[in-house]
Structure formats: structure tokens, C-alpha cells
Amino acid sequence: MKIKAPKKLIEVALPLDEINEACIREKSIRHGHPSTLHLYWARRPLAAARAVLFAQMVNDPGGERGYMSGKTKAQAAEEREELFSIIRDLVKWENTNNESVLNRAKEEIWKSWRQTCALNKGKAGFDPEKLPAFHDPFAGGGAIPLEAQRLGLESYASDLNPVAVLINKAMIEIPPKFANRAPVGPIPVGEQISTDNEWTGARGLAEDVRRYGMWMREEAYKKIGKYYPPVEITEDMVNERPDLKPYLGKKLTVIAWLWARTVKSPNPQFSDVDVPLVSSFAISKKKGHEAYVEPIIHENSYEFKVRMGKVPAELENGTKLARGAKFKCLMSGIPMEPDYIKEEYASGRGRERLLAIVAEGDSGRVYISPPTDVKNLIDDIPPSWKPSTPLPNDRRAFWTPAYGLTTFGDLFTKRQLLALNTFSDLLKDVREKIISECNYPDKEEYANAIITYLAFAIDKCTDYWSSICTWHSAGEKMRNTFGRQAIPMSWDYAECNVFSHATGNMEAMLDWVFKAIITFPQSNSDGFVDQADAQIQNISDDKVI
């Protein structure tokens, strides 16, 4: 059967400058971008996906293949410019769910489809009242299937990677099933929700993810909150640090505990001393609020004291001598080579020492010297399930095995494992609670949807709750584990308070997921996702690919 296929706009020209500009700007969009739902490498810009799909679906006004003739070049160029104008608006981030802009694009897609159907009248698959479905057999992070759905196409996605499959289900398959529904979850304590809210698109779904996530947070706090104690500002602390006087007698919520890994000193004189491996003693480089840790060395021991002000030059690089695992002994100053540090960790002598505490102040971070009884708190933490899967033996991307951290479980502290296990175990309780409170006929399916998104939130927590995370002294915030496509070795790391209201906490991870969901298409088009090998699947039959 011979098919008449008019030349598409993408075969002729595109407003590339505007598309590229939108793609570059999109890299700086964090909150609300679908990519923040779950980490996935090599994501495609939504702007490019949207523009290419539109240009792939609409006919070029020139009609160079002999179809739709009767226009002058000037007329074709004018109509082409109108299509370019749609693309220029379509690729802007602020127009992601702009119904006016999207409707203009959809009208042109329908117009082109009906023209193509007229040229192939009576042939199978050319129904002028039904747009062709779209399929991406290498869906990955889901940008292309998501934008196909946003443009009104029935979207199909498949991938061999189960993580990609789940991401795509969360983006294109689940939201349309529960679109335009009001939330059913309990309003978090202390909040008031306006009765004027219009629960269009996935907003109700997103709100329930947030509400049940907050309920889960409160339940987790009841179970493990005691392992995240506040720090009380005492008179002795104020005498040493007058800047703490406004907080005298107050109990401040901890944001993060800053730790340094340690090894035994190679100097025989100090062989019983665990000396720190610190990349920098600077803990805040914020202008006007600089802070650093000063090591105070005694005869056979040392302690850390937090000082306000710019870090002295001799403390800027901590105990680090050069790139890699090259440090000096804090007690004697003699160099410690990488092989020695590796041997210490391989022998199980590697430890950690608290450098400082970061707490929530009235108008910023408060940096506090470590207490003397912190070890007791750590020892009291009950053991939790620990992943035993070995880390890959790839020294290009996985640096920790050389230093004794050989399994995925070794990358987490006892407290981090306790928190991750507690939140994960609560998912089944959340599911039961939703089923008991929801009156929807498909309440079990709805409960499964909510806990899927909550699982994504816990996944994001994993990225911020590991001993690979470091403290960003210039931004006064947590760095996540995957700053790049590798797991490096972090010598001094930051352990966040999962119940704080600052960087790296559970509430923040929920907010990332919530804002991603509400930007999903407010479309009536369904989405379908399967795990499939692109070489042998038949999902692509009769679909735009």
C-alpha cells in the first residue's frame, strides 16, 4: 500500500536559536522539573523534545513533494514563520502547561493530521478523528514520551531498564488515571488548605503525596526522633563564644553533623591517637558569616573548637597535603601516604570524629563545637538492615572499596541506615491508611500510586543521606552523593538531620517530588509503559516513533 506522506516541518527548518536558548535555560530549572522526580543520567531537555515532536507532527507549508500545491514560496514562508512562532512559545519553560500555547500547537497537529488523512483517504490507520499514538522504545528518563502526552498524543514508553520503566510510569501512566481528583489525605498539623483550590490535572494527586508524606514523617519521628536531639546552648558555650548569647538556654534544631574520617597516627609516639582526614577546616565561607574549625592539640590528644571569622591560611586545606588520599598527621605533621590509609581501613581501624554541628538559628546557620558525649548517642543507635551488595570493582568511578567501604551498605552511617529503613518500612502503613480513608472505587490502585511517589522521595533521601555527602561551605548546605556519575571517597562528610527544616531533610525531598508532579501534563491523553527489549517488542506497530 502506497502512503502519501507530506514533508514535515522538521525536514525543512527549525528555529534552532530559540530552541537551544530554552534548553540552556532549562538546565537551571530545579524545583518543578520532572527530572527532579528521580536521578537518571543523560536526560533530554523537555524544550527540545517538545519542539522536535511538534515539528515531526506538522506538515511543512511548502509541500515540496507535490502534495498541497498552489502556494507561492512567499506564502509558504509566511505560514512556516507562524509555525516557528508556535515553537518559540512552546519551548519556554513558563509555558510548560500554558493551555493557550499548547492548544495552538495541538490545533496545528490536528490540522496536519487531517490533511495527511485526506491524502490517504480510505487507507487503514488514517482516521481523521484519531491522532496516531506515539512510542519511544528507548524511553530512559522519559522526556520524549512526557512531551508527546503534553501535545495530546496517546503516549507509549518502554525500556529494558526497570528504573526507567518506573520513572515513566510515574510521569505518563499514573497521573492521567487520577487526574482532576481532590486529595483525601489528612491535612498536616498546623496547616490550613484553602477550599478554593481547583484540583485540576495532577494537583490533587501531588497534594496527597505531600500530605501522606508528612504523615509518614511524623510517624517516623515518633520512632527515631530521639536519635536526632537538639543542641542546647549553655552558659559555658556563651562564655567561650559571645556570638551565641541570643540563644542562651535555647535548644536549637540540628541541621547537620560534620564528621571527619580518622586513622591511627603513623607516628609511634601517637600510635593510639585517631587522627582526622580533613580536606578543609572551613565550614562557612558566606561573606560576613565565616566560620572554621580550629584543632586544639594537647599532649596526647586533640579537640575541635568552632571559631567565627575567616579561616586562617594554615587551616584552609585541613590536614590534606595533595590531591587524593594524601594527608598529614595532625599530632606530628608527618605525611600519611595513600597506601597507609588504605591499609588502616582494610584492617578495620578507620573511625570517625565529629568536627562541628550546624544548627538552625533565627536568621541563618549556627555553628557549634562538638560536645564530649556524642559517642554515647551513636553507640545507642540500634542496628538496622544493611545492604550487602558489593560495590563494582571499577576504580574509575567507585573509589570507596579501596578504603574498606566495599558494599553499598558501607556508604551509610548507622543513623542513616536507621532512618532509611524506618521510612521504607512505613510505606506499607501509608498504603493501609490510604485504603482505609479513601472512598474512591480504585482506592487500592490509588494507594499504590501514592506510595510509588513516596518511594521516589525516599530515593532522593538516599542521595542526601550517605557518608559520601559533604558540606558546601560557600552555600552553607548539603552536597548530594551523586554530584557526578561516580561515587568518590569523601574524607569529611555531612550527616543531615532528616527531621530539620533545612537542607537535606525529608520534607525537602517531598517538596521536590510534589513540585515535579504538578508540572506533569494536564492532558486527557493516556500513557502506557512497559519493560521491553527494543529489538523484539511490537509496541511500536502503527505508532509514531
Side-chain angles (χ1 to χ4, degrees):
M1 181 173 63
K2 187 176 180 180
I3 302 297
K4 294 182 178 180
K7 183 171 282 190
K8 299 299 179 181
L9 180 64
I10 197 170
E11 300 177 75
V12 180
L14 287 172
L16 291 177
D17 288 343
E18 289 86 350
I19 296 172
N20 290 336
E21 184 180 336
C23 291
I24 292 169
R25 186 191 168 207
E26 193 178 310
K27 288 183 178 180
S28 65
I29 304 296
R30 302 306 300 155
H31 285 285
H33 197 284
S35 66
T36 60
L37 182 69
H38 190 281
L39 188 65
Y40 202 84
W41 306 124
R43 285 184 178 271
R44 302 295 177 254
L46 303 186
R50 204 175 304 146
V52 167
L53 283 164
F54 175 77
Q56 183 182 350
M57 294 299 296
V58 298
N59 300 330
D60 179 70
E64 286 88 343
R65 285 186 184 143
Y67 312 128
M68 301 174 295
S69 57
K71 293 178 186 175
T72 65
K73 286 187 176 181
Q75 288 173 326
E78 184 178 349
E79 290 185 24
R80 193 177 294 121
E81 183 58 35
E82 289 178 5
L83 295 178
F84 288 173
S85 176
I86 292 175
I87 292 176
R88 292 186 184 104
D89 288 338
L90 201 59
V91 297
K92 293 178 181 177
W93 171 256
E94 57 268 27
N95 289 336
T96 300
N97 279 323
N98 185 318
E99 287 301 314
S100 175
V101 172
L102 292 172
N103 285 338
R104 285 175 60 205
K106 291 175 184 178
E107 287 169 7
E108 288 296 335
I109 291 172
W110 273 105
K111 176 182 173 182
S112 292
W113 174 242
R114 285 174 177 143
Q115 288 174 346
T116 305
C117 288
L119 292 170
N120 295 277
K121 191 173 182 179
K123 296 175 183 176
F126 290 91
D127 182 351
E129 300 305 318
K130 182 177 174 59
L131 286 172
F134 169 86
H135 177 224
D136 183 353
F138 303 98
I144 299 175
L146 182 72
E147 295 310 313
Q149 188 179 63
R150 200 184 308 276
L151 291 174
L153 303 178
E154 189 176 75
S155 188
Y156 290 76
S158 62
D159 202 290
L160 198 56
N161 188 330
V163 176
V165 171
L166 191 60
I167 291 172
N168 278 270
K169 280 183 176 292
M171 294 204 303
I172 70 167
E173 188 173 282
I174 295 175
K177 291 181 179 179
F178 308 107
N180 307 317
R181 292 191 185 185
V184 299
I187 298 174
V189 177
E191 290 188 15
Q192 289 185 341
I193 304 297
S194 172
T195 56
D196 297 331
N197 280 333
E198 294 184 7
W199 303 108
T200 56
R203 288 185 174 276
L205 175 67
E207 176 64 16
D208 261 346
V209 170
R210 190 187 72 85
R211 291 185 187 183
Y212 283 108
M214 291 299 290
W215 179 85
M216 184 170 67
R217 178 190 180 277
E218 295 308 312
E219 292 300 303
Y221 185 79
K222 294 174 186 176
K223 294 174 180 288
I224 62 172
K226 64 181 179 181
Y227 300 112
Y228 295 85
V231 57
E232 184 175 0
I233 307 301
T234 64
E235 193 168 339
D236 288 342
M237 296 166 69
V238 172
N239 289 337
E240 188 176 276
R241 287 262 308 279
D243 60 290
L244 295 176
K245 188 174 181 179
Y247 303 107
L248 179 61
K250 294 183 179 180
K251 292 184 177 181
L252 304 184
T253 300
V254 174
I255 293 173
W257 291 266
L258 308 185
W259 298 89
R261 301 189 197 275
T262 67
V263 295
K264 294 294 183 184
S265 171
N267 188 323
Q269 183 180 350
F270 305 107
S271 59
D272 291 333
V273 180
D274 294 311
V275 293
L277 309 175
V278 182
S279 56
S280 176
F281 282 116
I283 53 177
S284 175
K285 293 185 177 180
K286 184 179 180 180
K287 190 174 181 179
H289 194 240
E290 294 90 348
Y292 64 95
V293 174
E294 180 185 11
I296 309 296
I297 300 175
H298 304 297
E299 185 176 349
N300 288 301
S301 64
Y302 63 91
E303 62 179 318
F304 293 127
K305 292 291 184 181
V306 170
R307 309 296 190 199
M308 300 307 294
K310 292 184 179 180
V311 61
E314 65 271 17
L315 299 179
E316 175 67 42
N317 294 323
T319 59
K320 200 168 179 60
L321 292 176
R323 188 173 182 272
K326 296 181 179 180
F327 292 87
K328 64 180 178 181
C329 170
L330 180 66
M331 300 300 294
S332 63
I334 67 172
M336 296 186 292
E337 291 297 321
D339 287 344
Y340 173 78
I341 294 173
K342 290 176 184 177
E343 182 183 347
E344 283 291 289
Y345 274 94
S347 301
R349 291 190 291 270
R351 297 289 184 270
E352 59 280 321
R353 178 82 177 255
L354 189 62
L355 279 169
I357 294 174
V358 188
E360 295 180 7
D362 294 333
S363 58
R365 312 296 195 228
V366 178
Y367 296 93
I368 301 168
S369 300
T372 57
D373 59 347
V374 67
K375 192 66 178 174
N376 295 331
L377 174 65
I378 297 173
D379 290 341
D380 288 342
I381 295 173
S384 304
W385 175 80
K386 181 179 177 180
S388 57
T389 305
L391 288 159
N393 185 24
D394 180 0
R395 295 190 179 184
R396 297 170 301 173
F398 294 86
W399 299 359
T400 65
Y403 302 98
L405 308 180
T406 58
T407 70
F408 280 97
D410 293 336
L411 303 179
F412 303 92
T413 68
K414 286 173 64 178
R415 184 160 46 183
Q416 288 167 339
L417 287 170
L418 176 65
L420 290 168
N421 276 291
T422 300
F423 278 101
S424 297
D425 291 344
L426 279 167
L427 287 176
K428 64 179 183 297
D429 296 337
V430 173
R431 184 178 185 277
E432 291 171 1
K433 183 175 176 63
I434 296 170
I435 292 172
S436 68
E437 294 176 345
C438 182
N439 293 321
Y440 294 137
D442 53 358
K443 57 186 179 182
E444 289 196 14
E445 190 176 3
Y446 188 62
N448 291 339
I450 297 296
I451 65 170
T452 296
Y453 291 112
L454 291 178
F456 278 125
I458 296 172
D459 285 345
K460 293 190 72 66
C461 291
T462 307
D463 191 25
Y464 281 85
W465 301 356
S466 85
S467 66
I468 306 302
C469 298
T470 56
W471 183 252
H472 192 296
S473 58
E476 295 189 295
K477 61 184 179 180
M478 296 282 299
R479 287 192 183 95
N480 61 323
T481 301
F482 289 105
R484 56 194 178 93
Q485 297 181 30
I487 297 182
M489 184 64 183
S490 297
W491 303 108
D492 42 281
Y493 61 90
E495 182 184 15
C496 74
N497 179 357
V498 305
F499 298 110
S500 77
H501 298 287
T503 177
N505 68 85
M506 178 61 183
E507 199 171 338
M509 301 304 110
L510 276 172
D511 192 54
W512 283 102
V513 174
F514 169 80
K515 289 179 177 175
I517 297 172
I518 62 176
T519 61
F520 292 159
Q522 298 180 21
S523 171
N524 293 325
S525 302
D526 290 330
F528 304 91
V529 184
D530 285 294
Q531 184 178 16
D533 185 335
Q535 297 183 89
I536 58 176
Q537 54 83 26
N538 58 7
I539 306 170
S540 297
D541 295 352
D542 301 320
K543 296 179 182 69
V544 175
I545 303 174

mmCIF file with all atom_site columns, all heavy atoms in Angstrom, residues 52 65 69 96 113 252 262 290 309 336 376 401 413 463 489 502 530:
data_model
loop_
_atom_site.group_PDB
_atom_site.id
_atom_site.type_symbol
_atom_site.label_atom_id
_atom_site.label_alt_id
_atom_site.label_comp_id
_atom_site.label_asym_id
_atom_site.label_entity_id
_atom_site.label_seq_id
_atom_site.pdbx_PDB_ins_code
_atom_site.Cartn_x
_atom_site.Cartn_y
_atom_site.Cartn_z
_atom_site.occupancy
_atom_site.B_iso_or_equiv
_atom_site.pdbx_formal_charge
_atom_site.auth_seq_id
_atom_site.auth_comp_id
_atom_site.auth_asym_id
_atom_site.auth_atom_id
_atom_site.pdbx_PDB_model_num
ATOM 1   N N   . VAL A 1 52  ? 10.833 19.174 18.792 1.00 0.00 ? 52  VAL A N   1
ATOM 2   C CA  . VAL A 1 52  ? 11.059 18.150 17.767 1.00 0.00 ? 52  VAL A CA  1
ATOM 3   C C   . VAL A 1 52  ? 9.783  17.350 17.497 1.00 0.00 ? 52  VAL A C   1
ATOM 4   O O   . VAL A 1 52  ? 9.456  17.058 16.335 1.00 0.00 ? 52  VAL A O   1
ATOM 5   C CB  . VAL A 1 52  ? 12.217 17.221 18.203 1.00 0.00 ? 52  VAL A CB  1
ATOM 6   C CG1 . VAL A 1 52  ? 12.268 15.978 17.328 1.00 0.00 ? 52  VAL A CG1 1
ATOM 7   C CG2 . VAL A 1 52  ? 13.540 17.963 18.146 1.00 0.00 ? 52  VAL A CG2 1
ATOM 8   N N   . ARG A 1 65  ? 6.874  17.858 -1.992 1.00 0.00 ? 65  ARG A N   1
ATOM 9   C CA  . ARG A 1 65  ? 6.732  16.525 -2.577 1.00 0.00 ? 65  ARG A CA  1
ATOM 10  C C   . ARG A 1 65  ? 5.583  16.456 -3.583 1.00 0.00 ? 65  ARG A C   1
ATOM 11  O O   . ARG A 1 65  ? 5.214  15.392 -4.051 1.00 0.00 ? 65  ARG A O   1
ATOM 12  C CB  . ARG A 1 65  ? 6.494  15.498 -1.465 1.00 0.00 ? 65  ARG A CB  1
ATOM 13  C CG  . ARG A 1 65  ? 7.772  15.176 -0.689 1.00 0.00 ? 65  ARG A CG  1
ATOM 14  C CD  . ARG A 1 65  ? 7.572  14.074 0.298  1.00 0.00 ? 65  ARG A CD  1
ATOM 15  N NE  . ARG A 1 65  ? 8.790  13.879 1.083  1.00 0.00 ? 65  ARG A NE  1
ATOM 16  C CZ  . ARG A 1 65  ? 8.810  13.584 2.360  1.00 0.00 ? 65  ARG A CZ  1
ATOM 17  N NH1 . ARG A 1 65  ? 7.677  13.445 3.026  1.00 0.00 ? 65  ARG A NH1 1
ATOM 18  N NH2 . ARG A 1 65  ? 9.951  13.414 2.985  1.00 0.00 ? 65  ARG A NH2 1
ATOM 19  N N   . SER A 1 69  ? -0.192 21.583 -3.211 1.00 0.00 ? 69  SER A N   1
ATOM 20  C CA  . SER A 1 69  ? 0.430  22.630 -4.020 1.00 0.00 ? 69  SER A CA  1
ATOM 21  C C   . SER A 1 69  ? -0.518 23.826 -4.145 1.00 0.00 ? 69  SER A C   1
ATOM 22  O O   . SER A 1 69  ? -1.618 23.826 -3.620 1.00 0.00 ? 69  SER A O   1
ATOM 23  C CB  . SER A 1 69  ? 0.759  22.082 -5.413 1.00 0.00 ? 69  SER A CB  1
ATOM 24  O OG  . SER A 1 69  ? -0.435 21.587 -6.022 1.00 0.00 ? 69  SER A OG  1
ATOM 25  N N   . THR A 1 96  ? 5.181  25.660 29.966 1.00 0.00 ? 96  THR A N   1
ATOM 26  C CA  . THR A 1 96  ? 5.134  24.196 30.016 1.00 0.00 ? 96  THR A CA  1
ATOM 27  C C   . THR A 1 96  ? 3.712  23.663 30.081 1.00 0.00 ? 96  THR A C   1
ATOM 28  O O   . THR A 1 96  ? 3.358  22.699 29.401 1.00 0.00 ? 96  THR A O   1
ATOM 29  C CB  . THR A 1 96  ? 5.936  23.673 31.231 1.00 0.00 ? 96  THR A CB  1
ATOM 30  O OG1 . THR A 1 96  ? 7.289  24.095 31.095 1.00 0.00 ? 96  THR A OG1 1
ATOM 31  C CG2 . THR A 1 96  ? 5.879  22.153 31.303 1.00 0.00 ? 96  THR A CG2 1
ATOM 32  N N   . TRP A 1 113 ? -2.598 16.417 10.566 1.00 0.00 ? 113 TRP A N   1
ATOM 33  C CA  . TRP A 1 113 ? -3.017 15.020 10.531 1.00 0.00 ? 113 TRP A CA  1
ATOM 34  C C   . TRP A 1 113 ? -4.219 14.839 9.602  1.00 0.00 ? 113 TRP A C   1
ATOM 35  O O   . TRP A 1 113 ? -4.268 13.880 8.815  1.00 0.00 ? 113 TRP A O   1
ATOM 36  C CB  . TRP A 1 113 ? -3.343 14.533 11.936 1.00 0.00 ? 113 TRP A CB  1
ATOM 37  C CG  . TRP A 1 113 ? -3.930 13.137 11.977 1.00 0.00 ? 113 TRP A CG  1
ATOM 38  C CD1 . TRP A 1 113 ? -5.151 12.778 12.419 1.00 0.00 ? 113 TRP A CD1 1
ATOM 39  C CD2 . TRP A 1 113 ? -3.292 11.930 11.527 1.00 0.00 ? 113 TRP A CD2 1
ATOM 40  N NE1 . TRP A 1 113 ? -5.335 11.420 12.299 1.00 0.00 ? 113 TRP A NE1 1
ATOM 41  C CE2 . TRP A 1 113 ? -4.204 10.868 11.746 1.00 0.00 ? 113 TRP A CE2 1
ATOM 42  C CE3 . TRP A 1 113 ? -2.051 11.641 10.961 1.00 0.00 ? 113 TRP A CE3 1
ATOM 43  C CZ2 . TRP A 1 113 ? -3.903 9.553  11.418 1.00 0.00 ? 113 TRP A CZ2 1
ATOM 44  C CZ3 . TRP A 1 113 ? -1.760 10.310 10.637 1.00 0.00 ? 113 TRP A CZ3 1
ATOM 45  C CH2 . TRP A 1 113 ? -2.685 9.290  10.861 1.00 0.00 ? 113 TRP A CH2 1
ATOM 46  N N   . LEU A 1 252 ? 18.460 24.270 70.028 1.00 0.00 ? 252 LEU A N   1
ATOM 47  C CA  . LEU A 1 252 ? 18.439 24.520 68.582 1.00 0.00 ? 252 LEU A CA  1
ATOM 48  C C   . LEU A 1 252 ? 18.354 23.201 67.812 1.00 0.00 ? 252 LEU A C   1
ATOM 49  O O   . LEU A 1 252 ? 19.037 22.222 68.154 1.00 0.00 ? 252 LEU A O   1
ATOM 50  C CB  . LEU A 1 252 ? 19.688 25.288 68.159 1.00 0.00 ? 252 LEU A CB  1
ATOM 51  C CG  . LEU A 1 252 ? 19.969 26.621 68.869 1.00 0.00 ? 252 LEU A CG  1
ATOM 52  C CD1 . LEU A 1 252 ? 21.194 27.284 68.265 1.00 0.00 ? 252 LEU A CD1 1
ATOM 53  C CD2 . LEU A 1 252 ? 18.763 27.543 68.799 1.00 0.00 ? 252 LEU A CD2 1
ATOM 54  N N   . THR A 1 262 ? 38.899 9.076  60.343 1.00 0.00 ? 262 THR A N   1
ATOM 55  C CA  . THR A 1 262 ? 40.187 9.059  61.043 1.00 0.00 ? 262 THR A CA  1
ATOM 56  C C   . THR A 1 262 ? 40.928 7.747  60.819 1.00 0.00 ? 262 THR A C   1
ATOM 57  O O   . THR A 1 262 ? 40.313 6.719  60.493 1.00 0.00 ? 262 THR A O   1
ATOM 58  C CB  . THR A 1 262 ? 40.008 9.259  62.564 1.00 0.00 ? 262 THR A CB  1
ATOM 59  O OG1 . THR A 1 262 ? 39.333 8.108  63.113 1.00 0.00 ? 262 THR A OG1 1
ATOM 60  C CG2 . THR A 1 262 ? 39.205 10.506 62.877 1.00 0.00 ? 262 THR A CG2 1
ATOM 61  N N   . GLU A 1 290 ? 31.540 33.958 58.193 1.00 0.00 ? 290 GLU A N   1
ATOM 62  C CA  . GLU A 1 290 ? 32.562 32.931 58.047 1.00 0.00 ? 290 GLU A CA  1
ATOM 63  C C   . GLU A 1 290 ? 32.761 32.174 59.360 1.00 0.00 ? 290 GLU A C   1
ATOM 64  O O   . GLU A 1 290 ? 32.606 32.727 60.450 1.00 0.00 ? 290 GLU A O   1
ATOM 65  C CB  . GLU A 1 290 ? 33.888 33.553 57.617 1.00 0.00 ? 290 GLU A CB  1
ATOM 66  C CG  . GLU A 1 290 ? 33.886 34.167 56.220 1.00 0.00 ? 290 GLU A CG  1
ATOM 67  C CD  . GLU A 1 290 ? 33.478 35.629 56.209 1.00 0.00 ? 290 GLU A CD  1
ATOM 68  O OE1 . GLU A 1 290 ? 32.981 36.103 57.259 1.00 0.00 ? 290 GLU A OE1 1
ATOM 69  O OE2 . GLU A 1 290 ? 33.662 36.301 55.176 1.00 0.00 ? 290 GLU A OE2 1
ATOM 70  N N   . GLY A 1 309 ? 34.800 33.783 61.906 1.00 0.00 ? 309 GLY A N   1
ATOM 71  C CA  . GLY A 1 309 ? 35.775 34.580 61.159 1.00 0.00 ? 309 GLY A CA  1
ATOM 72  C C   . GLY A 1 309 ? 36.350 33.781 60.011 1.00 0.00 ? 309 GLY A C   1
ATOM 73  O O   . GLY A 1 309 ? 36.068 32.588 59.844 1.00 0.00 ? 309 GLY A O   1
ATOM 74  N N   . MET A 1 336 ? 51.112 11.127 55.550 1.00 0.00 ? 336 MET A N   1
ATOM 75  C CA  . MET A 1 336 ? 50.479 9.804  55.502 1.00 0.00 ? 336 MET A CA  1
ATOM 76  C C   . MET A 1 336 ? 50.157 9.506  54.043 1.00 0.00 ? 336 MET A C   1
ATOM 77  O O   . MET A 1 336 ? 49.364 10.219 53.419 1.00 0.00 ? 336 MET A O   1
ATOM 78  C CB  . MET A 1 336 ? 49.206 9.776  56.356 1.00 0.00 ? 336 MET A CB  1
ATOM 79  C CG  . MET A 1 336 ? 49.454 9.991  57.836 1.00 0.00 ? 336 MET A CG  1
ATOM 80  S SD  . MET A 1 336 ? 47.966 9.779  58.865 1.00 0.00 ? 336 MET A SD  1
ATOM 81  C CE  . MET A 1 336 ? 46.979 11.197 58.358 1.00 0.00 ? 336 MET A CE  1
ATOM 82  N N   . ASN A 1 376 ? 28.344 8.490  72.854 1.00 0.00 ? 376 ASN A N   1
ATOM 83  C CA  . ASN A 1 376 ? 27.312 7.714  73.539 1.00 0.00 ? 376 ASN A CA  1
ATOM 84  C C   . ASN A 1 376 ? 26.039 7.641  72.712 1.00 0.00 ? 376 ASN A C   1
ATOM 85  O O   . ASN A 1 376 ? 25.380 6.607  72.639 1.00 0.00 ? 376 ASN A O   1
ATOM 86  C CB  . ASN A 1 376 ? 27.015 8.332  74.906 1.00 0.00 ? 376 ASN A CB  1
ATOM 87  C CG  . ASN A 1 376 ? 28.212 8.263  75.838 1.00 0.00 ? 376 ASN A CG  1
ATOM 88  O OD1 . ASN A 1 376 ? 29.018 7.366  75.733 1.00 0.00 ? 376 ASN A OD1 1
ATOM 89  N ND2 . ASN A 1 376 ? 28.327 9.234  76.730 1.00 0.00 ? 376 ASN A ND2 1
ATOM 90  N N   . PRO A 1 401 ? 35.830 1.302  47.644 1.00 0.00 ? 401 PRO A N   1
ATOM 91  C CA  . PRO A 1 401 ? 36.285 -0.039 48.015 1.00 0.00 ? 401 PRO A CA  1
ATOM 92  C C   . PRO A 1 401 ? 37.755 -0.097 48.429 1.00 0.00 ? 401 PRO A C   1
ATOM 93  O O   . PRO A 1 401 ? 38.132 -0.921 49.267 1.00 0.00 ? 401 PRO A O   1
ATOM 94  C CB  . PRO A 1 401 ? 36.025 -0.870 46.745 1.00 0.00 ? 401 PRO A CB  1
ATOM 95  C CG  . PRO A 1 401 ? 34.864 -0.180 46.106 1.00 0.00 ? 401 PRO A CG  1
ATOM 96  C CD  . PRO A 1 401 ? 35.113 1.280  46.349 1.00 0.00 ? 401 PRO A CD  1
ATOM 97  N N   . THR A 1 413 ? 25.978 5.713  57.483 1.00 0.00 ? 413 THR A N   1
ATOM 98  C CA  . THR A 1 413 ? 26.205 5.607  58.925 1.00 0.00 ? 413 THR A CA  1
ATOM 99  C C   . THR A 1 413 ? 25.066 4.801  59.545 1.00 0.00 ? 413 THR A C   1
ATOM 100 O O   . THR A 1 413 ? 24.026 4.571  58.915 1.00 0.00 ? 413 THR A O   1
ATOM 101 C CB  . THR A 1 413 ? 26.254 6.996  59.576 1.00 0.00 ? 413 THR A CB  1
ATOM 102 O OG1 . THR A 1 413 ? 24.949 7.595  59.517 1.00 0.00 ? 413 THR A OG1 1
ATOM 103 C CG2 . THR A 1 413 ? 27.255 7.908  58.886 1.00 0.00 ? 413 THR A CG2 1
ATOM 104 N N   . ASP A 1 463 ? 20.119 9.882  48.317 1.00 0.00 ? 463 ASP A N   1
ATOM 105 C CA  . ASP A 1 463 ? 21.141 10.699 47.662 1.00 0.00 ? 463 ASP A CA  1
ATOM 106 C C   . ASP A 1 463 ? 21.747 11.722 48.625 1.00 0.00 ? 463 ASP A C   1
ATOM 107 O O   . ASP A 1 463 ? 22.887 12.151 48.454 1.00 0.00 ? 463 ASP A O   1
ATOM 108 C CB  . ASP A 1 463 ? 20.524 11.394 46.451 1.00 0.00 ? 463 ASP A CB  1
ATOM 109 C CG  . ASP A 1 463 ? 21.555 12.053 45.551 1.00 0.00 ? 463 ASP A CG  1
ATOM 110 O OD1 . ASP A 1 463 ? 22.721 11.614 45.560 1.00 0.00 ? 463 ASP A OD1 1
ATOM 111 O OD2 . ASP A 1 463 ? 21.190 13.009 44.843 1.00 0.00 ? 463 ASP A OD2 1
ATOM 112 N N   . MET A 1 489 ? 35.400 9.135  47.156 1.00 0.00 ? 489 MET A N   1
ATOM 113 C CA  . MET A 1 489 ? 35.669 8.949  48.576 1.00 0.00 ? 489 MET A CA  1
ATOM 114 C C   . MET A 1 489 ? 35.607 10.314 49.238 1.00 0.00 ? 489 MET A C   1
ATOM 115 O O   . MET A 1 489 ? 36.314 11.236 48.832 1.00 0.00 ? 489 MET A O   1
ATOM 116 C CB  . MET A 1 489 ? 37.046 8.318  48.788 1.00 0.00 ? 489 MET A CB  1
ATOM 117 C CG  . MET A 1 489 ? 37.354 8.007  50.243 1.00 0.00 ? 489 MET A CG  1
ATOM 118 S SD  . MET A 1 489 ? 36.230 6.768  50.929 1.00 0.00 ? 489 MET A SD  1
ATOM 119 C CE  . MET A 1 489 ? 36.792 6.694  52.628 1.00 0.00 ? 489 MET A CE  1
ATOM 120 N N   . ALA A 1 502 ? 15.675 22.304 57.165 1.00 0.00 ? 502 ALA A N   1
ATOM 121 C CA  . ALA A 1 502 ? 16.704 22.906 56.319 1.00 0.00 ? 502 ALA A CA  1
ATOM 122 C C   . ALA A 1 502 ? 17.205 21.880 55.309 1.00 0.00 ? 502 ALA A C   1
ATOM 123 O O   . ALA A 1 502 ? 16.543 20.894 55.020 1.00 0.00 ? 502 ALA A O   1
ATOM 124 C CB  . ALA A 1 502 ? 17.836 23.446 57.193 1.00 0.00 ? 502 ALA A CB  1
ATOM 125 N N   . ASP A 1 530 ? 5.818  -0.075 29.515 1.00 0.00 ? 530 ASP A N   1
ATOM 126 C CA  . ASP A 1 530 ? 6.162  -1.489 29.667 1.00 0.00 ? 530 ASP A CA  1
ATOM 127 C C   . ASP A 1 530 ? 7.674  -1.653 29.686 1.00 0.00 ? 530 ASP A C   1
ATOM 128 O O   . ASP A 1 530 ? 8.408  -0.854 29.095 1.00 0.00 ? 530 ASP A O   1
ATOM 129 C CB  . ASP A 1 530 ? 5.601  -2.316 28.513 1.00 0.00 ? 530 ASP A CB  1
ATOM 130 C CG  . ASP A 1 530 ? 4.094  -2.529 28.626 1.00 0.00 ? 530 ASP A CG  1
ATOM 131 O OD1 . ASP A 1 530 ? 3.677  -3.208 29.576 1.00 0.00 ? 530 ASP A OD1 1
ATOM 132 O OD2 . ASP A 1 530 ? 3.362  -1.995 27.772 1.00 0.00 ? 530 ASP A OD2 1
#
